[in-house]
Amino acid sequence: WIRTSVRLRGQIYSLLDLTTLPPLRVASYRADRPGLPIGPCQKRSCADAPGVLTRLPRKAGTRLILMAPDQRNTSKPAFAHARAQGRGQGRKPARQRGDALPPGEGWIWGRHAVLAALANPKRALLSLHVTRNSAKDLDEAMRSRIEARIEEPSDISARLPDTAVHQGFALKAKALDAEPVQAVLNPTHGLLVVLDQITDPHNVGAIFRSAAAFGARAIIMQDRKSPPLFGTVCKSAVGCAEKVGHVEVTNIADTLKSFRDEGRFVIGLAGEAEMSLAAAVQTGADTMGRTTGLVIVLGSEDKGLRPRVADHCDVLARIPMGPKAESLNVSNAAAVALYEASRHDPRINPA
């Protein structure tokens, strides 16, 4: 057990194990009479240490341990004394990575995400930054839309957040326009996914990917609490955020009521529900004569569906699970629900 620089009534312990070396006595001094050792040790910074050493009387058995301020058990900031004396000024602050962008603009990174955005005519492009090797993946149509800037990987990283894994691709673009809810009201327009306060960009991106895989028409999100379709969302969606439409609404519960009024069948996923997901999908198919008009509602992982949102669902359903796991990640639950719905979709599973 090792303790260093512990201020226990003036005792300072050695860096060696306490079992081999007893506590050491501390040479004390008073600020107004530095040559006179008295009572408790006065506080001095490391900048005073050279002068203190020349004035301190040395007693038999006394050892003085000096430590830099950033290595001590103290709440004082390092180099506080140096700053008070004006030294250390003019240092450059730590650089914050990532460019500050105005609202409605953002970065997309990752090979699949950037290539999909370049291929999406609805995505307005601002600047493209790629490495020399990554530029080989750009086809003529992409090159005609925007000129690529060839940069070193480190230069691309400097433009993006610290957590971004860009794979040699970074695209500055404008946000995709959300579709109006009227465009997806009709049950014949296809399966819908509703996200009730799901804010994690990794989950939202993974849900976009599953929605594309199983033929969903669009994803409905709340306009105030949803992550923008940039960065981590697009990277997690692996390009599918460009292929599945999205709708932004103010009130989820009122939107579900509108869907039901138009003849859609709304299924809310809830772990406490009695009906299984398969039974709920079959009920919706029997009610509408199809499953393309289904609406799958997913709640946040910590709170699930909000009460008013759950009240506006036709049925609540659960995913049957074994006893070894209590629940699924919301993006995994979305994939299971979308697969179950797609089993009755002739576009995915033709008879």
Side-chain angles (χ1 to χ4, degrees):
W1 182 51
I2 299 176
R3 298 179 69 180
T4 62
S5 184
V6 179
R7 293 178 293 169
L8 297 175
R9 302 186 65 83
Q11 292 183 342
I12 300 179
Y13 292 92
S14 167
L15 296 176
L16 302 178
D17 293 343
L18 295 182
T19 56
T20 62
L21 191 64
L24 304 174
R25 291 189 298 158
V26 176
S28 305
Y29 59 89
R30 196 167 63 192
D32 57 341
R33 300 179 64 186
L36 179 63
I38 62 169
C41 181
Q42 302 292 327
K43 296 180 180 179
R44 287 288 186 95
S45 69
C46 279
D48 298 322
V52 173
L53 284 176
T54 59
R55 297 192 297 268
L56 280 177
R58 303 302 299 271
K59 294 183 179 181
T62 297
R63 294 172 63 187
L64 181 65
I65 299 178
L66 296 177
M67 303 186 72
D70 57 340
Q71 295 175 334
R72 295 181 301 175
N73 274 343
T74 176
S75 59
K76 284 190 174 183
F79 310 110
H81 182 77
R83 285 199 299 268
Q85 299 297 325
R87 296 190 295 272
Q89 295 181 358
R91 294 181 180 177
K92 294 182 179 180
R95 179 175 59 83
Q96 299 295 324
R97 286 175 54 178
D99 294 342
L101 299 178
E105 297 181 8
W107 285 102
I108 301 173
W109 56 81
R111 181 180 182 275
H112 292 286
V114 169
L115 293 180
L118 292 174
N120 183 8
K122 297 181 180 179
R123 177 76 80 169
L125 312 178
L126 299 177
S127 65
L128 175 62
H129 310 263
V130 297
T131 60
R132 191 171 303 277
N133 288 334
S134 299
K136 301 175 183 178
D137 292 335
L138 304 176
D139 59 28
E140 292 300 324
M142 297 175 182
R143 294 176 186 272
S144 64
R145 291 195 65 193
I146 188 171
E147 181 181 358
R149 302 180 186 179
I150 307 301
E151 297 180 352
E152 294 296 323
S154 58
D155 296 330
I156 298 177
S157 297
R159 300 178 181 276
L160 306 175
D162 289 335
T163 57
V165 181
H166 56 73
Q167 300 173 306
F169 293 85
L171 173 68
K172 186 193 296 184
K174 291 191 175 182
L176 288 170
D177 292 331
E179 296 186 55
V181 69
Q182 292 77 12
V184 297
L185 283 177
N186 194 307
T188 62
H189 289 177
L191 173 68
L192 299 179
V193 181
V194 178
L195 308 184
D196 181 26
Q197 293 192 324
I198 299 177
T199 59
D200 180 74
H202 294 90
N203 284 332
V204 174
I207 292 172
F208 265 94
R209 187 177 186 180
S210 297
F214 297 112
R217 166 64 178 83
I219 292 181
I220 318 299
M221 303 183 292
Q222 199 167 14
D223 53 7
R224 293 177 288 107
K225 297 183 178 181
S226 300
L229 300 188
F230 292 117
T232 302
V233 173
C234 294
K235 182 69 162 56
S236 301
V238 197
C240 294
E242 312 291 331
K243 303 174 183 178
V244 178
H246 75 284
V247 177
E248 296 179 354
V249 299
T250 302
N251 190 292
I252 295 292
D254 291 346
T255 302
L256 295 182
K257 182 178 182 301
S258 300
F259 289 153
R260 294 176 66 186
D261 292 342
E262 291 294 325
R264 286 185 173 274
F265 191 81
V266 181
I267 301 175
L269 290 188
E272 68 277 8
E274 296 183 0
M275 181 178 291
S276 69
L277 174 62
V281 170
Q282 187 62 54
T283 300
D286 294 340
T287 301
M288 299 182 299
R290 69 180 77 86
T291 60
T292 55
L294 288 177
V295 179
I296 306 295
V297 188
L298 303 159
S300 61
E301 290 191 42
D302 54 344
K303 298 180 180 179
L305 297 176
R306 289 175 293 172
R308 189 164 181 266
V309 172
D311 291 341
H312 282 76
C313 296
D314 286 295
V315 295
L316 296 180
R318 61 178 176 83
I319 298 175
M321 296 173 54
K324 294 184 179 181
E326 181 180 351
S327 62
L328 288 175
N329 174 278
V330 66
S331 61
N332 294 334
V336 173
L338 287 166
Y339 167 73
E340 183 63 36
S342 71
R343 293 178 57 207
H344 302 268
D345 189 342
R347 299 173 303 167
I348 305 298
N349 289 301

